[in-house]
Amino acid sequence: MSLTVLLNAGPWLSVPPPGYGGIENVVATLVPELRRLGVRVVLASVGTSELPVDELVSVFPDGQFAALQRPYNQVCGIAQAHLAGVVRQLHTRDDIDLVHDHVEAVGLATLTAMGPDAPPVLHTLHWDLAKHPALYGTLDGGDRVRVNGVSAAQLARAPQALRDHSVGHVHLATPLAVGADRRPRREKGDHVVVLGRINPGKGQDLGARLARQAGFPLVLAGPVGPYHRPEALAAAGDDARQNPDVRFFLDEVAPYVDGELVRWVGTVAGQDRDDLVAGARATLFPLRWEEPGGTAVVESLALGTPVVATARGCLPELVEHGRTGLLTADEEELGDLVAAVGRLDPDECRREAAARFTPAVMAERYLALYDRVRQPAAAARLQPA
């Protein structure tokens, strides 16, 4: 029997995204494999999404990510308007077998509130589950709404009500892992790279300070708030400081950025990103939060670059200390680990990625979760009133 899934990616960025976009990249990685397995995919995204799907539904013609820097009372209707469009789809058609939702908080709340006549829902949790305690701590999705994490460590920190609705976790994947074990070894340079959106939880200030202290070249690759290029941030003027990530960068990171030993290059995507990471001696994750998923971690392994990181969140699940990376509970030790990372074999990183982090592995795991979610929901609908 064919399966039709409405996959809700949200209103913030197109799928695939133009550069940085964690959730949108996850969706872009998952959907082609689901379709290869025979799933019909209806994608709820923005009009500029170019990912091949069976049907695209949208409320906004383009991504609304830039609006996130504005005050809450100017932005709060964006996700709700998108979800209202999803609800209209579910009310007016009967071909959706399951909703796979990826929209933080409002997706789960809206789809739960639809009640028992709506399709079953799998809501993937991509973020820190200490957030939204009033929502997560009182969740009651009955037999229709289930959640999954992107790591076991993430779910372990969830409120009990959320864990009661969990069907497990699925590690993130990357297309770079396909055939990674057969990829020729790249020559390594001296530089270390930090990938990801620049904010306090990612710890770019710590990485930059350690690079200056230890003397290793560091490249910071990722957006600062809505600004993907250094020149765009420079042109934004004082108004940019309204964004907390911009304030963090200007106050805590920029003092260490000298353009030589420590560089911020903005968002790097596609082949440029792959070349930057594959040529690095290590990818550094100086985390100050419990990283839930770690897309950049599995990308680094697939490109044959060992990981140096604080052992927080999902990192111990993804990285084998002494084989594919070096982990520590002491953030001040990270500089010493960067110096020691050369003893690790990049081929071990590629082999691990090819075995564990391909899109096919992720899609097959999600297909199994779809079955688990649909069976209790179908049984509940058959119960007498």
Side-chain angles (χ1 to χ4, degrees):
M1 183 178 68
S2 62
L3 179 69
T4 298
V5 174
L6 188 150
L7 205 148
N8 185 22
W12 305 114
L13 292 165
S14 59
V15 182
Y20 172 81
I23 291 172
E24 293 79 11
N25 274 318
V26 172
V27 171
T29 299
L30 174 61
V31 165
E33 288 299 317
L34 288 178
R35 297 183 75 212
R36 183 184 64 81
L37 292 170
V39 177
R40 183 173 182 271
V41 174
V42 178
L43 177 65
S45 180
V46 295
T48 49
S49 289
E50 297 181 349
L51 183 72
V53 292
D54 296 282
E55 186 178 348
L56 174 68
V57 296
S58 62
V59 170
F60 295 97
D62 202 352
Q64 302 298 298
F65 184 79
L68 289 175
Q69 68 175 314
R70 290 163 25 201
Y72 174 78
N73 63 356
Q74 297 178 20
V75 177
C76 62
I78 293 176
Q80 285 83 347
H82 174 85
L83 261 296
V86 170
V87 170
R88 284 193 294 272
Q89 290 289 322
L90 298 178
H91 278 321
T92 58
R93 56 196 297 171
D94 59 5
D95 62 325
I96 304 298
D97 298 304
L98 178 136
V99 179
H100 187 179
D101 181 61
H102 295 262
V103 178
E104 183 175 0
V106 66
L108 180 61
T110 301
L111 294 166
T112 299
M114 288 189 69
D117 293 333
V121 173
L122 177 64
H123 174 81
T124 296
L125 301 153
H126 291 273
W127 35 84
D128 181 356
L129 302 185
K131 298 164 67 176
H132 319 306
L135 172 63
Y136 293 157
T138 61
L139 180 66
D140 184 3
D143 291 313
R144 189 180 61 85
V145 178
R146 292 288 183 263
V147 303
N148 77 276
V150 288
S151 67
Q154 178 202 32
L155 287 174
R157 302 181 72 245
Q160 186 62 50
L162 199 59
R163 292 202 302 272
D164 289 344
H165 287 75
S166 170
V167 289
H169 68 275
V170 180
H171 288 141
L172 300 177
T174 172
L176 294 169
V178 178
D181 53 338
R182 301 188 299 274
R183 192 173 298 131
R185 180 181 290 208
R186 284 284 303 270
E187 183 177 347
K188 294 293 185 181
D190 290 333
H191 70 278
V192 174
V193 62
V194 177
L195 289 172
R197 182 169 60 93
I198 294 179
N199 69 15
K202 301 288 188 181
Q204 284 91 348
D205 59 322
L206 171 61
R209 174 172 64 81
L210 292 174
R212 293 286 291 269
Q213 289 175 353
F216 59 82
L218 182 68
V219 179
L220 305 174
V224 174
Y227 304 104
H228 290 271
R229 305 298 306 161
E231 55 269 25
L233 177 58
D238 291 341
D239 288 346
R241 292 188 68 92
Q242 296 180 30
N243 186 288
D245 287 351
V246 172
R247 290 197 300 273
F248 166 71
F249 175 77
L250 294 177
D251 295 342
E252 306 296 335
V253 181
Y256 298 108
V257 177
D258 59 6
E260 296 181 2
L261 192 65
V262 179
R263 296 184 293 136
W264 173 51
V265 297
T267 297
V268 181
Q271 192 61 51
D272 290 338
R273 185 273 316 275
D274 296 351
D275 290 341
L276 175 68
V277 175
R281 58 169 153 158
T283 305
L284 179 62
F285 295 87
L287 300 174
R288 287 200 169 112
W289 77 316
E290 304 304 320
E291 178 71 47
T295 300
V297 176
V298 300
E299 289 174 342
S300 179
L301 298 180
L303 290 165
T305 299
V307 168
V308 174
T310 43
R312 302 188 65 165
C314 66
L315 267 294
E317 295 177 44
L318 305 181
V319 176
E320 183 178 339
H321 178 73
R323 177 172 168 255
T324 59
L326 297 173
L327 305 177
T328 178
D330 179 3
E331 62 182 33
E332 295 300 324
E333 190 186 4
L334 289 170
D336 294 334
L337 296 186
V338 168
V341 78
R343 69 173 186 259
L344 302 185
D345 182 0
D347 290 341
E348 288 294 301
C349 300
R350 284 190 285 269
R351 282 192 283 268
E352 185 78 351
R356 296 180 59 199
F357 303 125
T358 63
V361 169
M362 180 171 67
E364 288 165 4
R365 174 69 173 141
Y366 271 117
L367 203 57
L369 294 192
Y370 293 168
D371 286 340
R372 287 187 61 186
V373 173
R374 292 179 66 215
Q375 288 171 5
R381 285 196 296 272
L382 294 174
Q383 295 296 319

